[in-house]
Amino acid sequence: MRMKTFRAATTTAAFAKVKADLGEDAVILSNETITDNGCKCCEVVAAIDHTPSSSSSKQTRDDVVDEALQDSAGWQREWSQIKSQIMALMKPQIELNRLSPKQKIALEYLEREDVNEKVLARLYCALRDEPKRSIMAALDPLLKATPFEQKHWTAKFQAFTGPGGAGKTTSLVRLALQFKKNHPRTRICLATADGGRGKGRLVLKHYAELSGLAFREIITREDFALLHKESDQFDVIFVDLPGLPGNTTLEEWLQLYGMHGCRDMSMHLVLNPYYSEAQFERFFEKYKSEQLASVIWTKLDEACTFGAVLNMACASGLPVSALSYGASLKNSIKAASEEMVWRLLFMRTLPNGDIQP
Ligand SMILES: Nc1nc2c(ncn2[C@@H]2O[C@H](COP(=O)(O)OP(=O)(O)O)[C@@H](O)[C@H]2O)c(=O)[nH]1
Ligand SMILES: [Mg+2]
C-alpha cells in the first residue's frame, strides 16, 4: 500500500491532486482543515493498494488523439443523426401559415433573439389555429420570476453556484447588501467555499468587514458542519461556491462538502446570457441538482440577445430571481420580475431602463 499526504487551498483542489497522483482507486484516509504558515488549508491523506499503471505513458500523442477521435466521431455521428431526425420530424409541423400574421412576426422575432427550436415549437403548438391568442398568453406559463427578496427566499442558506467568472461573488455581495439595507437588523453571514486563497474570498471578506457582516470560510466538510451547527446565530447565510473544475458535477461537489440534501438551503445558478447553446447544454448537465431553486442572470449589459433566459426557464423549470447589468457595486442588480424579463426579451431594455444596442 502506498500512502501519501496532499495539501491544497480547498478540498476540491486536494482531491484533484489525489486523483492526478494516485488515480481513481485511491482511498481517502483523512480529510482535515489545518493551518499552514498561518493560512487555513485542506490536508488529505490518501492511499492506494497498487502502483498506478504506467501503460498509458507508452502511448504516443498521436495514439491518444486517434483513440479519442475514434470514440467521439462515432458518438457525434449518432447524436447528430438523432438530432437531425428529431428536427426533420418537427420542422414540417411548424407551418407558419397556421399562425396569424402577428403571431408569426412574434415567433420570427424570438428566433432572431436566439430563442431555441424547442421553445419555438412549444410556442407554435400553443398558438396554432388560435389566431386570437396573444404571444404573451403562450409565453406566460413558460417563465416565472421569484424576486430575490427576503420574504421570498426564507431558507437559512442561500448558495450561489455556476461557472467561474459568471458573477457569483459579485451578485452575492450585492444581494447580501440589499438584504442588509432593506432589513438592517438581519443577522447576515457571508461564507466562502471558493478557494482558500482566491480573489473571491478576499472580496467577500472585505465587504463583510466593511458592512459589519459575519464571515466564514468553508475549506472542508468539517467547516460546513460547524457553520451548520452555529447557524442559529444568523438569519441568513450567503454561501459562495467555486466554479467547478473539469468533470466535477455540482452534485458530486455538494456530496464532498456535506451540503447535499441540506434542506435549509436554496441554491441559485448564476449564468450569462451569451454562452453558446452547446455551452448551456454542458452547464445544464454539470449543474443540474434537486437543490437548484433559481437562476440569476448577470452581465446583461454585455449581451445583445436574451433568448437564453427563456430557453433556460423552459429547460429547467426554474424561476429567475435576479438580474445584474453592470460591473459596479451600486445600482447594478435587481430582484427579478416577469415584466423585467419580457422587457429584456422584447425591447432589449435592461432593468435600469437602458436599452441594449
Ligand atoms: N459588465 C458586468 N460585469 C459583471 C457583472 N457581474 C459581475 N461582473 C464582473 O465579472 C467579473 C467576474 O465576477 P465574479 O463575481 O468574480 O465571478 P465568479 O467567478 O462567478 O464569482 C468581475 O470583474 C465582475 O465585476 C455584470 O452584471 N455586468
Ligand atoms: Mg467568485
Side-chain angles (χ1 to χ4, degrees):
M1 177 181 276
R2 201 154 79 93
M3 218 165 94
K4 216 170 158 180
T5 303
F6 298 85
R7 280 187 189 173
T10 62
T11 303
T12 325
F15 274 67
K17 280 187 178 177
V18 173
K19 255 192 196 174
D21 195 345
L22 301 182
E24 297 282 344
D25 297 333
V27 179
I28 306 300
L29 302 178
S30 73
N31 174 14
E32 287 173 357
T33 309
I34 58 150
T35 306
D36 183 14
N37 262 341
C39 278
K40 275 181 153 191
C41 70
C42 168
E43 184 179 272
V44 173
V45 180
I48 183 114
D49 249 349
H50 59 278
T51 315
S53 97
S54 58
S55 65
S56 61
S57 64
K58 286 187 194 129
Q59 282 185 316
T60 65
R61 280 200 303 184
D62 285 348
D63 291 340
V64 173
V65 172
D66 282 351
E67 205 176 289
L69 284 179
Q70 262 169 24
D71 275 0
S72 76
W75 187 88
Q76 275 172 4
R77 204 168 34 244
E78 207 171 303
W79 170 237
S80 71
Q81 271 169 7
I82 295 171
K83 216 168 165 183
S84 58
Q85 277 163 6
I86 294 172
M87 285 309 153
L89 281 172
M90 275 170 55
K91 267 265 160 77
Q93 288 172 19
I94 298 189
E95 296 162 31
L96 288 177
N97 57 9
R98 285 175 71 179
L99 300 178
S100 73
K102 218 168 153 184
Q103 291 170 339
K104 192 175 152 199
I105 289 172
L107 238 61
E108 285 168 347
Y109 174 83
L110 291 174
E111 190 174 14
R112 283 198 300 277
E113 291 300 300
D114 290 329
V115 171
N116 67 25
E117 278 170 325
K118 277 184 223 154
V119 178
L120 292 172
R122 272 177 80 167
L123 287 171
Y124 169 77
C125 291
L127 293 171
R128 74 183 155 193
D129 302 328
E130 292 203 50
K132 292 228 160 60
R133 191 149 196 229
S134 78
I135 183 81
M136 280 318 298
L139 279 169
D140 253 346
L142 302 186
L143 185 137
K144 294 285 157 222
T146 307
F148 205 104
E149 291 161 358
Q150 221 163 342
K151 62 177 183 243
H152 296 291
W153 296 100
T154 52
K156 176 78 48 112
F157 290 90
Q158 301 290 335
F160 291 59
T161 188
K168 298 179 290 299
T169 308
T170 320
S171 325
L172 182 153
V173 169
R174 291 161 172 175
L175 292 167
L177 295 180
Q178 280 187 4
F179 267 36
K180 181 81 185 164
K181 191 171 162 217
N182 295 337
H183 306 273
R185 295 169 72 155
T186 307
R187 297 165 305 163
I188 299 175
C189 173
L190 306 188
T192 179
D194 183 11
R197 299 180 183 103
K199 187 168 154 261
R201 168 188 168 269
L202 294 178
V203 171
L204 226 56
K205 192 163 185 238
H206 171 76
Y207 282 106
E209 281 168 6
L210 214 66
S211 320
L213 311 178
F215 174 74
R216 297 287 186 275
E217 281 182 74
I218 302 168
I219 292 174
T220 58
R221 59 189 296 144
E222 276 177 336
D223 297 324
F224 181 67
L226 223 67
L227 182 57
H228 205 271
K229 255 192 210 148
E230 61 163 352
S231 62
D232 274 354
Q233 51 177 301
F234 304 116
D235 298 310
V236 56
I237 300 169
F238 287 83
V239 187
D240 194 19
L241 305 186
L244 304 174
N247 290 330
T248 310
T249 63
L250 179 62
E251 290 276 287
E252 285 166 352
W253 192 93
L254 294 173
Q255 302 255 11
L256 207 61
Y257 280 80
M259 294 183 199
H260 193 262
C262 175
R263 288 217 187 111
D264 214 3
M265 179 179 276
S266 295
M267 184 111 35
H268 309 279
L269 179 60
V270 180
L271 294 172
N272 308 154
Y274 48 76
Y275 302 125
S276 69
E277 265 284 297
Q279 195 66 65
F280 273 115
E281 275 179 30
R282 170 128 173 70
F283 288 151
F284 194 71
E285 281 306 307
K286 194 173 170 82
Y287 289 93
K288 73 175 174 212
S289 162
E290 287 287 313
Q291 280 166 274
L292 277 188
S294 89
V295 182
I296 292 175
W297 291 96
T298 57
K299 306 199 183 180
L300 300 177
D301 54 310
E302 291 179 347
C304 59
T305 62
F306 301 98
V309 178
L310 180 59
N311 297 342
M312 192 65 185
C314 287
S316 67
L318 293 170
V320 179
S321 64
L323 300 170
S324 156
Y325 44 89
S328 70
L329 205 68
K330 276 198 173 161
N331 304 327
S332 48
I333 195 163
K334 277 210 162 90
S337 69
E338 279 139 33
E339 195 187 327
M340 277 181 204
V341 178
W342 300 133
R343 280 179 183 278
L344 199 58
L345 193 59
F346 283 102
M347 300 157 87
R348 295 200 181 153
T349 304
L350 300 180
N352 63 351
D354 286 355
I355 296 176
Q356 282 299 91

mmCIF file of all heavy atoms in Angstrom, residues 84-106:
data_model
loop_
_atom_site.group_PDB
_atom_site.id
_atom_site.type_symbol
_atom_site.label_atom_id
_atom_site.label_comp_id
_atom_site.label_asym_id
_atom_site.label_seq_id
_atom_site.Cartn_x
_atom_site.Cartn_y
_atom_site.Cartn_z
ATOM 1 N N SER A 84 -30.877 15.482 -36.150
ATOM 2 C CA SER A 84 -31.468 15.896 -37.420
ATOM 3 C C SER A 84 -32.789 15.173 -37.667
ATOM 4 O O SER A 84 -33.706 15.719 -38.281
ATOM 5 C CB SER A 84 -30.493 15.716 -38.580
ATOM 6 O OG SER A 84 -30.117 14.382 -38.645
ATOM 7 N N GLN A 85 -32.897 13.912 -37.144
ATOM 8 C CA GLN A 85 -34.179 13.200 -37.300
ATOM 9 C C GLN A 85 -35.287 13.896 -36.503
ATOM 10 O O GLN A 85 -36.398 14.078 -36.994
ATOM 11 C CB GLN A 85 -34.044 11.753 -36.848
ATOM 12 C CG GLN A 85 -33.459 10.863 -37.941
ATOM 13 C CD GLN A 85 -32.943 9.541 -37.393
ATOM 14 O OE1 GLN A 85 -33.112 9.241 -36.223
ATOM 15 N NE2 GLN A 85 -32.298 8.765 -38.236
ATOM 16 N N ILE A 86 -34.934 14.305 -35.288
ATOM 17 C CA ILE A 86 -35.941 14.988 -34.464
ATOM 18 C C ILE A 86 -36.376 16.275 -35.162
ATOM 19 O O ILE A 86 -37.559 16.578 -35.288
ATOM 20 C CB ILE A 86 -35.391 15.310 -33.049
ATOM 21 C CG1 ILE A 86 -35.120 14.017 -32.283
ATOM 22 C CG2 ILE A 86 -36.370 16.185 -32.269
ATOM 23 C CD1 ILE A 86 -34.410 14.202 -30.958
ATOM 24 N N MET A 87 -35.364 17.031 -35.633
ATOM 25 C CA MET A 87 -35.676 18.307 -36.285
ATOM 26 C C MET A 87 -36.507 18.081 -37.554
ATOM 27 O O MET A 87 -37.429 18.818 -37.842
ATOM 28 C CB MET A 87 -34.380 19.062 -36.622
ATOM 29 C CG MET A 87 -33.749 19.682 -35.404
ATOM 30 S SD MET A 87 -34.971 20.644 -34.493
ATOM 31 C CE MET A 87 -34.343 20.596 -32.862
ATOM 32 N N ALA A 88 -36.148 17.016 -38.298
ATOM 33 C CA ALA A 88 -36.883 16.718 -39.530
ATOM 34 C C ALA A 88 -38.339 16.402 -39.203
ATOM 35 O O ALA A 88 -39.258 16.764 -39.938
ATOM 36 C CB ALA A 88 -36.235 15.542 -40.251
ATOM 37 N N LEU A 89 -38.549 15.738 -38.065
ATOM 38 C CA LEU A 89 -39.917 15.406 -37.662
ATOM 39 C C LEU A 89 -40.680 16.658 -37.239
ATOM 40 O O LEU A 89 -41.871 16.791 -37.478
ATOM 41 C CB LEU A 89 -39.889 14.424 -36.480
ATOM 42 C CG LEU A 89 -39.625 12.974 -36.818
ATOM 43 C CD1 LEU A 89 -39.441 12.167 -35.541
ATOM 44 C CD2 LEU A 89 -40.788 12.395 -37.622
ATOM 45 N N MET A 90 -39.956 17.558 -36.583
ATOM 46 C CA MET A 90 -40.629 18.737 -36.033
ATOM 47 C C MET A 90 -40.863 19.820 -37.073
ATOM 48 O O MET A 90 -41.900 20.431 -37.122
ATOM 49 C CB MET A 90 -39.788 19.324 -34.889
ATOM 50 C CG MET A 90 -40.053 18.655 -33.572
ATOM 51 S SD MET A 90 -38.853 19.166 -32.371
ATOM 52 C CE MET A 90 -39.024 20.929 -32.441
ATOM 53 N N LYS A 91 -39.822 20.059 -37.898
ATOM 54 C CA LYS A 91 -39.835 21.210 -38.790
ATOM 55 C C LYS A 91 -41.086 21.317 -39.675
ATOM 56 O O LYS A 91 -41.757 22.348 -39.653
ATOM 57 C CB LYS A 91 -38.571 21.216 -39.663
ATOM 58 C CG LYS A 91 -37.444 22.042 -39.053
ATOM 59 C CD LYS A 91 -37.489 23.447 -39.635
ATOM 60 C CE LYS A 91 -36.769 24.469 -38.790
ATOM 61 N NZ LYS A 91 -35.341 24.418 -38.913
ATOM 62 N N PRO A 92 -41.441 20.227 -40.410
ATOM 63 C CA PRO A 92 -42.590 20.361 -41.306
ATOM 64 C C PRO A 92 -43.867 20.679 -40.532
ATOM 65 O O PRO A 92 -44.801 21.235 -41.071
ATOM 66 C CB PRO A 92 -42.701 18.991 -41.969
ATOM 67 C CG PRO A 92 -41.464 18.255 -41.627
ATOM 68 C CD PRO A 92 -40.881 18.898 -40.436
ATOM 69 N N GLN A 93 -43.850 20.294 -39.232
ATOM 70 C CA GLN A 93 -45.068 20.547 -38.463
ATOM 71 C C GLN A 93 -45.218 22.019 -38.112
ATOM 72 O O GLN A 93 -46.300 22.479 -37.801
ATOM 73 C CB GLN A 93 -45.053 19.714 -37.196
ATOM 74 C CG GLN A 93 -45.281 18.246 -37.508
ATOM 75 C CD GLN A 93 -45.075 17.373 -36.292
ATOM 76 O OE1 GLN A 93 -45.104 17.848 -35.176
ATOM 77 N NE2 GLN A 93 -44.863 16.105 -36.520
ATOM 78 N N ILE A 94 -44.079 22.747 -38.106
ATOM 79 C CA ILE A 94 -44.196 24.179 -37.845
ATOM 80 C C ILE A 94 -44.589 24.865 -39.152
ATOM 81 O O ILE A 94 -43.756 25.271 -39.937
ATOM 82 C CB ILE A 94 -42.877 24.754 -37.266
ATOM 83 C CG1 ILE A 94 -42.562 24.082 -35.932
ATOM 84 C CG2 ILE A 94 -42.967 26.264 -37.094
ATOM 85 C CD1 ILE A 94 -41.442 24.681 -35.142
ATOM 86 N N GLU A 95 -45.890 24.937 -39.370
ATOM 87 C CA GLU A 95 -46.375 25.603 -40.580
ATOM 88 C C GLU A 95 -46.799 27.003 -40.168
ATOM 89 O O GLU A 95 -47.831 27.184 -39.511
ATOM 90 C CB GLU A 95 -47.572 24.844 -41.158
ATOM 91 C CG GLU A 95 -47.230 23.449 -41.630
ATOM 92 C CD GLU A 95 -48.496 22.605 -41.777
ATOM 93 O OE1 GLU A 95 -49.563 23.183 -42.088
ATOM 94 O OE2 GLU A 95 -48.411 21.393 -41.546
ATOM 95 N N LEU A 96 -45.962 27.949 -40.559
ATOM 96 C CA LEU A 96 -46.209 29.311 -40.067
ATOM 97 C C LEU A 96 -47.544 29.880 -40.563
ATOM 98 O O LEU A 96 -48.095 30.786 -39.952
ATOM 99 C CB LEU A 96 -45.043 30.229 -40.456
ATOM 100 C CG LEU A 96 -43.759 29.970 -39.655
ATOM 101 C CD1 LEU A 96 -42.630 30.862 -40.133
ATOM 102 C CD2 LEU A 96 -43.960 30.153 -38.158
ATOM 103 N N ASN A 97 -48.083 29.300 -41.665
ATOM 104 C CA ASN A 97 -49.367 29.840 -42.155
ATOM 105 C C ASN A 97 -50.561 29.434 -41.280
ATOM 106 O O ASN A 97 -51.676 29.873 -41.510
ATOM 107 C CB ASN A 97 -49.607 29.494 -43.633
ATOM 108 C CG ASN A 97 -49.554 28.004 -43.857
ATOM 109 O OD1 ASN A 97 -49.514 27.232 -42.887
ATOM 110 N ND2 ASN A 97 -49.552 27.597 -45.120
ATOM 111 N N ARG A 98 -50.293 28.586 -40.288
ATOM 112 C CA ARG A 98 -51.376 28.280 -39.343
ATOM 113 C C ARG A 98 -51.394 29.293 -38.192
ATOM 114 O O ARG A 98 -52.163 29.158 -37.248
ATOM 115 C CB ARG A 98 -51.226 26.853 -38.801
ATOM 116 C CG ARG A 98 -51.653 25.829 -39.858
ATOM 117 C CD ARG A 98 -51.406 24.427 -39.404
ATOM 118 N NE ARG A 98 -52.315 23.981 -38.350
ATOM 119 C CZ ARG A 98 -52.272 22.755 -37.814
ATOM 120 N NH1 ARG A 98 -51.378 21.881 -38.260
ATOM 121 N NH2 ARG A 98 -53.098 22.412 -36.862
ATOM 122 N N LEU A 99 -50.506 30.295 -38.295
ATOM 123 C CA LEU A 99 -50.477 31.365 -37.290
ATOM 124 C C LEU A 99 -51.028 32.643 -37.901
ATOM 125 O O LEU A 99 -50.987 32.827 -39.126
ATOM 126 C CB LEU A 99 -49.035 31.624 -36.841
ATOM 127 C CG LEU A 99 -48.269 30.467 -36.207
ATOM 128 C CD1 LEU A 99 -46.857 30.906 -35.869
ATOM 129 C CD2 LEU A 99 -48.977 29.940 -34.951
ATOM 130 N N SER A 100 -51.502 33.539 -37.046
ATOM 131 C CA SER A 100 -51.928 34.844 -37.545
ATOM 132 C C SER A 100 -50.668 35.646 -37.882
ATOM 133 O O SER A 100 -49.578 35.335 -37.366
ATOM 134 C CB SER A 100 -52.740 35.570 -36.475
ATOM 135 O OG SER A 100 -51.865 36.003 -35.453
ATOM 136 N N PRO A 101 -50.783 36.693 -38.744
ATOM 137 C CA PRO A 101 -49.585 37.472 -39.095
ATOM 138 C C PRO A 101 -48.856 38.003 -37.862
ATOM 139 O O PRO A 101 -47.628 37.976 -37.793
ATOM 140 C CB PRO A 101 -50.151 38.627 -39.932
ATOM 141 C CG PRO A 101 -51.452 38.121 -40.459
ATOM 142 C CD PRO A 101 -51.991 37.154 -39.450
ATOM 143 N N LYS A 102 -49.611 38.411 -36.857
ATOM 144 C CA LYS A 102 -48.985 38.963 -35.643
ATOM 145 C C LYS A 102 -48.186 37.878 -34.884
ATOM 146 O O LYS A 102 -47.073 38.107 -34.429
ATOM 147 C CB LYS A 102 -50.105 39.496 -34.735
ATOM 148 C CG LYS A 102 -49.739 40.775 -34.027
ATOM 149 C CD LYS A 102 -50.968 41.360 -33.401
ATOM 150 C CE LYS A 102 -50.599 42.189 -32.200
ATOM 151 N NZ LYS A 102 -51.763 42.709 -31.509
ATOM 152 N N GLN A 103 -48.814 36.712 -34.783
ATOM 153 C CA GLN A 103 -48.132 35.597 -34.089
ATOM 154 C C GLN A 103 -46.866 35.193 -34.836
ATOM 155 O O GLN A 103 -45.833 34.903 -34.229
ATOM 156 C CB GLN A 103 -49.069 34.385 -34.009
ATOM 157 C CG GLN A 103 -50.252 34.579 -33.081
ATOM 158 C CD GLN A 103 -51.280 33.466 -33.221
ATOM 159 O OE1 GLN A 103 -51.330 32.764 -34.248
ATOM 160 N NE2 GLN A 103 -52.111 33.304 -32.221
ATOM 161 N N LYS A 104 -46.982 35.221 -36.167
ATOM 162 C CA LYS A 104 -45.836 34.828 -36.989
ATOM 163 C C LYS A 104 -44.668 35.802 -36.779
ATOM 164 O O LYS A 104 -43.519 35.384 -36.581
ATOM 165 C CB LYS A 104 -46.280 34.839 -38.466
ATOM 166 C CG LYS A 104 -45.306 34.186 -39.382
ATOM 167 C CD LYS A 104 -45.866 34.120 -40.791
ATOM 168 C CE LYS A 104 -44.712 34.136 -41.765
ATOM 169 N NZ LYS A 104 -45.051 34.509 -43.093
ATOM 170 N N ILE A 105 -44.977 37.085 -36.769
ATOM 171 C CA ILE A 105 -43.925 38.098 -36.551
ATOM 172 C C ILE A 105 -43.264 37.876 -35.187
ATOM 173 O O ILE A 105 -42.043 37.931 -35.055
ATOM 174 C CB ILE A 105 -44.522 39.532 -36.643
ATOM 175 C CG1 ILE A 105 -44.888 39.831 -38.083
ATOM 176 C CG2 ILE A 105 -43.550 40.586 -36.109
ATOM 177 C CD1 ILE A 105 -45.664 41.117 -38.281
ATOM 178 N N ALA A 106 -44.096 37.583 -34.178
ATOM 179 C CA ALA A 106 -43.560 37.391 -32.821
ATOM 180 C C ALA A 106 -42.615 36.191 -32.787
ATOM 181 O O ALA A 106 -41.521 36.268 -32.212
ATOM 182 C CB ALA A 106 -44.705 37.200 -31.832
#
